[in-house]
Amino acid sequence: MGILEQFEQWLVNYWPSWAAYLVPPLVAFAILSTFILVVVMAFIYIERRGIGRFQVRLGPNRAGPFGVLQPVADAIKVLIKEDIIPAKGDRWVHWLAPIIAFIPALMIFAVIPFGHGAIFADLNIGILYIIAISSLGIIGVFMAGWGSNNKYSLVSAMRTVAQMISYEIPLVLSIIGVLIITGSLSMVSIVEGQHVPFLLLQPLGFLIFFLAAAAEINRTPFDLLEAESEIVAGYHIEYSGMKFGLFYLGEYTHAFAISAIVAILFLGGWSGPFLPPALWFLIKVFSVFIVLFWLRSTLPRLRVDQLMGFAWKCLFPLALINIFITGIEAIIWPNFPWQLLILNILIAALLIVLWSGFFRVAGERVSFERYGRGIAKGLALTFRHLFRHPITVQYPEQRLTPSRRFRGNLLVWDVERCNGCRACARMCPISIIDIETARGDKGLVVERLEIDFGRCMFCGLCVEACPVEALFMSRDYEKASYRRELLVMKKEQFVAAEKRPSAYAYPELEAEMPPQTLLAPPKGGR
């Protein structure tokens, strides 16, 4: 009996029957929505920090301790943005699309068991319900592309429809092996039937399901619907404010749902020693999600033809073969002894190696030695980055040390040498140097010198043009301000005897420069 049925039976003793019938679903919706929102915020934080470490960056760390409030800051930013609807778009379709895309992801959790008896509705067709409900999100995506009246949005929506339909088939077929072993469609029965995690008994099915699910939720390397270099931002390019926030929330809610389904079907759900069942379930869910963004930080995006070919030429036939093999094993060994895991792992490895040999990429036959080893080496590289010190700095507490021959972003002007010839102003390709001179006792004297560093591209032509070497670039490379007028420097700011010239202007100073270092010593930064 699920939690809702127990709550309803308890309310019947105190409230009218109609109230006892209506209140439990409303309470369940509120609790479930709050819990999903908290988990999604945790997912966002973990992914952004994790990908930062995978890419040898710091990641967000300004909003709150260690950046834990970054998802809250993002949510506030989204909420206060203006809601814009394209003038020629379909207003109602545009408005309904994010709701239809998000609600199915929320409905999946009605049949997700978080522990013993911790399920809202224990349907005897739970996995069939999940497959049916999860397929509805594609309608919201297509509505967003169509209602925006934008060619990029429509192309992205059509890509999404083709991609989700193509990968839905191997995804569903990969589940059949699990259903053959357990003999039930109930999510609770599937967990209870895993004396050995089905990850070991169904390694090929797990791999097919995981890859197809990553494509279903548009995670890298299957995120063709958001290919920035081709279609800008995909189907939600015309969305802003809370409607964009719903798409963003729906994407991570789907990721949470897929991680939970993988944990239930292949990792034993809440099963585990010592720890509480719900905690075991969350550990497995977060582990699956970490693998998802580990792949995102490692693998490049596929081409659209490779994406579709991978679904129909690779995953689909392998899913059929997996059903055939599982059916034979069910006839020979109805109880599926744990010793079968060795046989199934060998069969899965053999099929992957042999089947990949039928395909070509860039005219070359796919080989496990090149592509399999390449993917493994890439994953190993990003994993090692977790333990490296980030190469980015906590600006402005930490600052980069310029290289020996760095040109610098500041000019130093030698008043004694300058003859007021205005060669630097004439040489400037964008005319940002303004000089006024007057006749003095010893020739021309510079009365006014202004350079707009807000427009300067630091080409160094002014330094090269000076015939008396009165102008040179310093080794100080930072010139930033929140006010544009402060970037216009006057002649008094260039006269600085303590500033050292760069080796670009004076190569003979190369030996005096310190060796280049990656990071300057921290100055109290976090």
Side-chain angles (χ1 to χ4, degrees):
M1 182 181 296
I3 297 176
L4 291 183
E5 290 83 354
Q6 298 177 29
F7 187 35
E8 181 179 347
Q9 290 183 5
W10 180 79
L11 285 179
V12 168
N13 299 325
Y14 304 96
W15 289 11
S17 57
W18 62 270
Y21 180 76
L22 291 177
V23 169
L26 297 177
V27 173
F29 179 79
I31 295 174
L32 191 61
S33 301
T34 304
F35 174 72
I36 290 174
L37 183 61
V38 172
V39 173
V40 164
M41 292 175 68
F43 272 15
I44 294 172
Y45 172 74
I46 292 172
E47 181 171 31
R48 294 189 64 180
R49 288 283 290 189
I51 288 183
R53 294 311 303 269
F54 279 132
Q55 297 174 347
V56 208
R57 297 184 289 106
L58 289 170
N61 60 352
R62 290 293 192 178
F66 304 102
V68 294
L69 297 180
Q70 187 64 46
V72 179
D74 291 341
I76 295 174
K77 180 185 71 174
V78 166
L79 288 173
I80 63 178
K81 281 184 175 290
E82 183 182 2
D83 180 24
I84 299 174
I85 299 177
K88 296 184 179 181
D90 193 316
R91 176 175 293 270
W92 283 105
V93 174
H94 188 272
W95 188 85
L96 288 173
I99 300 175
I100 295 176
F102 172 69
I103 292 299
L106 198 64
M107 295 172 64
I108 291 174
F109 290 92
V111 296
I112 296 293
F114 295 89
H116 293 288
I119 183 172
F120 289 103
D122 185 12
L123 300 181
N124 58 0
I125 55 168
I127 190 64
L128 186 61
Y129 166 85
I130 288 175
I131 294 170
I133 291 297
S134 61
S135 302
L136 297 177
I138 189 175
I139 300 175
V141 172
F142 185 72
M143 289 174 64
W146 179 265
S148 297
N149 192 35
N150 182 296
K151 292 182 176 63
Y152 294 120
S153 298
L154 185 59
V155 169
S156 173
M158 295 302 296
R159 278 186 179 182
T160 307
V161 171
Q163 177 176 327
M164 295 185 73
I165 290 176
S166 299
Y167 280 89
E168 190 82 22
I169 296 173
L171 183 141
V172 174
L173 293 177
S174 65
I175 300 174
I176 295 179
V178 173
L179 303 183
I180 292 175
I181 298 174
T182 58
S184 174
L185 295 172
S186 169
M187 301 295 282
V188 175
S189 299
I190 290 173
V191 174
E192 292 174 346
Q194 294 188 53
H195 304 294
V196 176
F198 289 157
L199 168 64
L200 302 176
L201 282 178
Q202 286 282 296
L204 185 59
F206 166 77
L207 186 62
I208 295 170
F209 182 88
F210 185 82
L211 294 175
E216 282 280 301
I217 59 177
N218 308 306
R219 304 290 294 187
T220 307
F222 307 105
D223 57 338
L224 264 295
L225 75 168
E226 296 179 17
E228 298 90 347
S229 59
E230 303 170 25
I231 50 178
V232 191
Y235 60 90
H236 48 56
I237 186 174
E238 298 290 353
Y239 282 87
S240 60
M242 190 56 201
K243 288 190 286 191
F244 172 79
L246 277 177
F247 278 119
Y248 191 66
L249 185 62
E251 178 181 341
Y252 279 93
T253 305
H254 274 103
F256 180 24
I258 288 298
S259 301
I261 295 169
V262 170
I264 291 170
L265 293 180
F266 297 99
L267 302 180
W270 64 80
S271 302
F274 307 118
L275 299 178
L279 184 56
W280 266 117
F281 179 76
L282 289 178
I283 290 174
K284 295 174 182 178
V285 168
F286 276 85
S287 299
V288 173
F289 181 72
I290 288 172
V291 174
L292 280 173
F293 74 75
W294 184 11
L295 292 175
R296 175 184 176 185
S297 63
T298 304
L299 301 179
R301 181 182 291 131
L302 298 176
R303 289 200 318 258
V304 65
D305 59 319
Q306 296 171 341
L307 177 79
M308 301 303 291
F310 184 67
W312 290 105
K313 298 177 183 178
C314 184
L315 296 187
F316 176 62
L318 286 178
L320 293 177
I321 295 173
N322 183 63
I323 295 173
F324 179 73
I325 293 174
T326 307
I328 293 177
E329 291 177 348
I331 295 173
I332 301 175
W333 300 286
N335 295 326
F336 283 90
W338 66 268
Q339 291 85 351
L340 277 179
L341 65 90
I342 301 174
L343 176 63
N344 287 340
I345 291 174
L346 292 176
I347 291 174
L350 184 63
L351 282 174
I352 292 171
V353 172
L354 293 179
W355 200 264
S356 61
F358 290 107
F359 305 101
R360 292 181 177 273
V361 175
E364 180 183 350
R365 190 176 297 277
V366 174
S367 64
F368 179 79
E369 182 176 356
R370 177 174 180 181
Y371 289 92
R373 185 179 297 178
I375 293 173
K377 292 171 84 173
L379 292 172
L381 176 65
T382 49
F383 181 76
R384 288 198 300 270
H385 286 173
L386 287 174
F387 307 100
R388 284 188 56 187
H389 191 277
I391 62 174
T392 53
V393 296
Q394 188 73 7
Y395 185 88
E397 291 87 354
Q398 294 175 311
R399 306 196 180 201
L400 291 172
T401 300
S403 63
R404 288 169 175 249
R405 299 187 61 82
F406 193 82
R407 298 186 180 189
N409 285 5
L410 290 179
L411 289 175
V412 180
W413 179 46
D414 191 336
V415 183
E416 300 297 331
R417 291 188 179 187
C418 183
N419 59 7
C421 65
R422 297 172 55 89
C424 54
R426 290 194 297 270
M427 184 60 68
C428 181
I430 52 178
S431 303
I432 62 169
I433 301 178
D434 188 10
I435 298 179
E436 290 184 3
T437 59
R439 179 69 60 179
D441 296 337
K442 297 181 179 181
L444 294 176
V445 177
V446 176
E447 291 189 341
R448 188 171 67 88
L449 170 63
E450 291 185 357
I451 300 179
D452 186 358
F453 279 94
R455 297 169 54 204
C456 181
M457 60 184 182
F458 309 106
C459 62
L461 292 177
C462 55
V463 176
E464 297 178 8
C466 184
V468 294
E469 294 186 343
L471 198 65
F472 56 88
M473 286 188 170
S474 74
R475 290 177 53 225
D476 301 316
Y477 69 104
E478 296 197 38
K479 179 61 181 174
S481 175
Y482 290 105
R483 298 176 60 186
R484 185 175 178 84
E485 59 267 22
L486 296 180
L487 294 175
V488 179
M489 296 181 63
K490 297 178 169 43
K491 71 174 186 176
E492 293 79 9
Q493 297 172 271
F494 296 116
V495 182
E498 72 278 3
K499 293 186 179 297
R500 300 179 61 188
S502 67
Y504 173 78
Y506 294 93
E508 63 271 15
L509 299 177
E510 178 81 16
E512 300 179 13
M513 299 288 177
Q516 182 182 7
T517 56
L518 188 61
L519 291 178
K523 300 178 181 180
R526 283 175 289 180

